[in-house]
Amino acid sequence: NAAKNDESEESDPYQGALFTVFKAFLDKCLRFKSLTIITVVALFFIAIGSFGLVKQSFFPPSTTPLFLVDLWLPEGTDIRATEAISQRIEKEFLTYQAVNHVTATIGKGAQRFMLTYDSERSYAAYAQLLVRVESFDDVIPSMSTAQEYINTNYPALQTKFKRLEIGPSPSAKIEVEFTGADTKILRSLANEAKLVLHQAGGTVNVRHDWRERTKVLQPQFNEVQARRLGITRADVDNTLQMNLSGLTIGLYREGTSLLPIVSRMSEDERASAIEGLQVWSPLYNQFIPIRQLFNSIDVVWEDPIIQRRDRKRMITLMADPDFRTGETATSLRKRVIDQIEAIELPVGYELTWGGEYHDSSTASNAIFSSLPMGYLFMFLITVFLFNAVKKPLVIWACVPLAMIGIVAGLIILDKPFGFMALLGMLSLSGMLLKNGIVLLDQINTELNNGVEPYQAVFVSTVSRVRPVGMAAITTILGMMPLLFDAFFEAMAAVVMFGLGVATVLTLIVVPVLYCLFHGIKYRPLDELDK
């Protein structure tokens, strides 16, 4: 008897608690095939419905212990005033214990020091601070402290706090673009959308790229009188420029740098009013009061900045989710999209979405445009591999089941679904196809050896538990360190949970579908052991 037991144990290598439990479970699933398929399909649709609970993000921020602070003074502010305020803020930041270094650029952004950094254009009322802290964990606390200081001491200052982005870095996470002809109507539309964003809550840096209107002097030039005196508009322009902001008269080369030479009257010589200026007349060889060349001098408000796209005037309203709340740009956009798109647009005016939504859509469209052809080739390869259609259909029916694990993993680990997670999800297709191919290949081997069809399916599935499971486990363990990397954490969560759940389901669904597609009838487990 002992010898017979030893022989039976040697003849069945799949002993132990794991295989015993799996055999019993597989037997139940093959017995109730319809209930098994209904359950799996229900889990799939629950996962699809729960996908709305997953955070949406295009690219994660960089782990570099550095953050940027954009400072916007009211448009028309002199660059010297911008420099003075930025210096005071810079000194305050340097008193923080976690701050190591602060670099300030006045009038424009810094030189591009990484591919995804987008330098701001040249504006006299703009400054940017690059703040480096001790570690990545100090970034958010330092940003919060700095934000509170600026809000308290400089309430009229418009700021934007942002971390370095690994992926594309638009001017703002949320961008609403209005296109049209009339500047007043465009500003009115932008103000309506601005009010919506303010009322939504959880928004910061709400602004538009046309900035504030500025007050300018607009002399009404008397062309007839100027000709009598031999004075041109250029002469008047140069006189005003030299007296007010300075006139560039040349360039000074210092090494590889070209520095502008600016001519400007001394502070004592500058006239307190335009009427006190004088212009040289070449006909009379004397200075003529500039007021004799003007019919009047009007004070008007004008748009200092007018942005265009495709030669059409376009104003862009920008906003960001508050970094202290942890909300993503996608969830913020979902909260305001209905109200903003409900804004009544006059004839000839258009509304489009930019920012992270536009970048994400562009990247996704680029991927999915070629994806059908890639999947078609993969399907044809499996068809040629098995020289049949039913078997590849059985394999491909299991690929969408990865969504069950993907959604569960992202919700459990609280990770956002972004571009890297999308790549991880697409990579799962090949892994799951490999599992299905290994299983069906073993079934074909058993059938070629003359094994009864149902027994071939059952025995092949049990025999593939160890290799398929070990392959999945090693992949999951290999991805585990990436869970702690800010760039790869979402992709790691997708691969780990998606592969783990889909592998288990593949070992159940493939034999069930194979039996259904080929009309193989169920046999009790005790009959197979005989």
Side-chain angles (χ1 to χ4, degrees):
N1 292 334
K4 291 182 179 179
N5 291 335
D6 293 338
E7 291 177 2
S8 62
E9 289 180 1
E10 291 178 1
S11 62
D12 187 4
Y14 306 111
Q15 299 293 329
L18 174 62
F19 287 102
T20 301
V21 172
F22 179 77
K23 287 179 181 178
F25 184 66
L26 179 62
D27 178 71
K28 297 296 183 184
C29 293
L30 289 173
R31 182 179 180 182
F32 304 101
K33 300 181 186 67
S34 300
L35 180 60
T36 301
I37 298 301
I38 292 174
T39 302
V40 172
V41 172
L43 290 174
F44 174 75
F45 281 106
I46 291 174
I48 296 299
S50 303
F51 192 74
L53 303 177
V54 178
K55 294 181 179 179
Q56 304 291 317
S57 178
F58 185 34
F59 264 99
S62 171
T63 55
T64 304
L66 182 74
F67 65 90
L68 310 177
V69 184
D70 291 339
L71 306 175
W72 292 93
L73 279 75
E75 190 63 29
T77 302
D78 188 79
I79 194 170
R80 299 168 186 84
T82 305
E83 181 182 18
I85 292 178
S86 66
Q87 287 179 347
R88 291 198 292 269
I89 297 176
E90 179 182 352
K91 291 179 180 178
E92 171 65 21
F93 287 179
L94 288 172
T95 62
Y96 299 162
Q97 184 176 0
V99 175
N100 289 339
H101 183 73
V102 180
T103 301
T105 59
I106 313 300
K108 62 182 299 184
Q111 294 293 327
R112 173 169 285 184
F113 55 90
M114 61 182 296
L115 182 62
T116 57
Y117 172 76
D118 190 12
S119 179
E120 192 65 49
R121 297 179 182 178
S122 180
Y123 301 106
Y126 171 79
Q128 186 179 72
L129 302 179
L130 289 81
V131 184
R132 188 173 187 87
V133 295
E134 290 282 352
S135 65
F136 178 70
D137 295 332
D138 296 321
V139 171
I140 295 298
S142 299
M143 291 173 67
S144 300
T145 304
Q147 180 78 76
E148 292 176 3
Y149 167 77
I150 294 178
N151 291 342
T152 303
N153 296 273
Y154 302 96
L157 194 63
Q158 194 173 69
T159 61
K160 177 183 179 181
F161 286 75
K162 57 183 178 182
R163 291 179 285 177
L164 294 180
E165 298 284 343
I166 298 177
S169 179
S171 299
K173 297 291 185 180
I174 304 292
E175 292 184 359
V176 186
E177 301 165 346
F178 294 97
T179 305
D182 191 280
T183 59
K184 293 182 179 179
I185 295 178
L186 290 175
R187 280 187 175 271
S188 175
L189 295 173
N191 289 333
E192 289 187 52
K194 186 176 182 179
L195 181 61
V196 172
L197 289 171
H198 276 304
Q199 293 176 345
T203 56
V204 293
N205 315 320
V206 182
R207 67 201 187 281
H208 58 70
D209 59 353
W210 284 22
R211 307 284 294 151
E212 300 86 2
R213 282 194 173 98
T214 56
K215 185 169 61 176
V216 296
L217 297 174
Q218 193 176 75
Q220 303 300 320
F221 189 68
N222 190 326
E223 193 73 38
V224 176
Q225 182 66 11
R227 288 179 180 176
R228 291 174 181 173
L229 299 174
I231 299 174
T232 64
R233 287 179 178 270
D235 297 331
V236 176
D237 291 342
N238 291 337
T239 301
L240 293 173
Q241 188 80 6
M242 183 177 295
N243 185 77
L244 299 177
S245 58
L247 178 65
T248 300
I249 60 175
L251 291 173
Y252 171 74
R253 182 185 296 275
E254 183 174 334
T256 58
S257 302
L258 295 177
L259 305 177
I261 302 174
V262 179
S263 174
R264 192 184 188 197
M265 293 184 179
S266 64
E267 189 172 355
D268 297 336
E269 294 177 345
R270 294 174 204 157
S272 58
I274 290 183
E275 288 83 353
L277 296 179
Q278 295 184 342
V279 184
W280 178 257
S281 172
L283 293 181
Y284 291 91
N285 292 322
Q286 65 178 14
F287 284 99
I288 305 297
I290 200 171
R291 62 176 177 270
Q292 295 185 13
L293 303 174
F294 301 145
N295 293 326
S296 63
I297 300 177
D298 303 329
V299 179
V300 297
W301 293 88
E302 71 173 13
D303 295 304
I305 303 171
I306 297 180
Q307 306 287 358
R308 289 178 173 83
R309 176 183 291 173
D310 297 333
R311 301 177 64 182
K312 296 181 180 179
R313 290 175 177 172
M314 184 182 74
I315 186 170
T316 303
L317 179 67
M318 296 174 282
D320 293 286
D322 194 338
F323 61 86
R324 291 168 292 190
T325 63
E327 185 177 20
T328 63
T330 303
S331 61
L332 175 58
R333 179 177 174 273
K334 287 181 178 178
R335 290 200 288 116
V336 301
I337 183 172
D338 292 336
Q339 300 177 59
I340 289 181
E341 293 188 348
I343 296 176
E344 186 176 354
L345 300 177
V347 178
Y349 291 79
E350 297 179 357
L351 183 153
T352 56
W353 289 90
E356 185 175 289
Y357 170 78
H358 177 266
D359 292 342
S360 178
S361 300
T362 302
S364 299
N365 292 337
I367 292 177
F368 287 109
S369 61
S370 58
L371 200 61
M373 189 61 65
Y375 275 127
L376 177 60
F377 283 129
M378 293 171 65
F379 179 76
L380 291 177
I381 290 173
T382 55
V383 170
F384 294 146
L385 181 64
F386 291 102
N387 195 25
V389 176
K390 289 184 179 180
K391 294 177 181 179
L393 289 177
V394 170
I395 298 174
W396 278 92
C398 298
V399 173
L401 302 182
M403 282 299 299
I404 300 174
I406 290 173
V407 175
L410 293 175
I411 293 177
I412 293 173
L413 298 180
D414 194 26
K415 303 298 183 184
F417 183 84
F419 188 77
M420 296 304 298
L422 176 61
L423 295 182
M425 184 177 71
L426 296 178
S427 67
L428 281 177
S429 302
M431 302 180 191
L432 298 179
L433 288 176
K434 180 262 298 181
N435 292 340
I437 290 173
V438 168
L439 181 52
L440 288 188
D441 184 63
Q442 182 63 29
I443 294 176
N444 286 341
T445 301
E446 296 290 340
L447 291 175
N448 293 335
N449 291 334
V451 180
E452 189 270 332
Y454 182 84
Q455 186 173 2
V457 173
F458 193 92
V459 172
S460 299
T461 305
V462 174
S463 67
R464 294 300 92 190
V465 169
R466 183 180 288 116
V468 170
M470 291 300 295
I473 291 173
T474 53
T475 303
I476 292 172
L477 293 177
M479 297 296 293
M480 190 171 293
L482 297 182
L483 279 176
F484 307 99
D485 187 278
F487 185 68
F488 293 103
E489 58 181 5
M491 186 179 71
V494 166
V495 173
M496 290 174 63
F497 281 81
L499 181 60
V501 173
T503 298
V504 175
L505 294 177
T506 299
L507 292 172
I508 299 300
V509 175
V510 167
V512 170
L513 289 178
Y514 190 91
C515 291
L516 286 174
F517 282 16
H518 293 81
I520 301 175
K521 296 182 179 181
Y522 167 77
R523 287 178 56 193
L525 182 59
D526 54 357
E527 293 183 8
L528 299 178
D529 296 333
K530 295 179 181 180

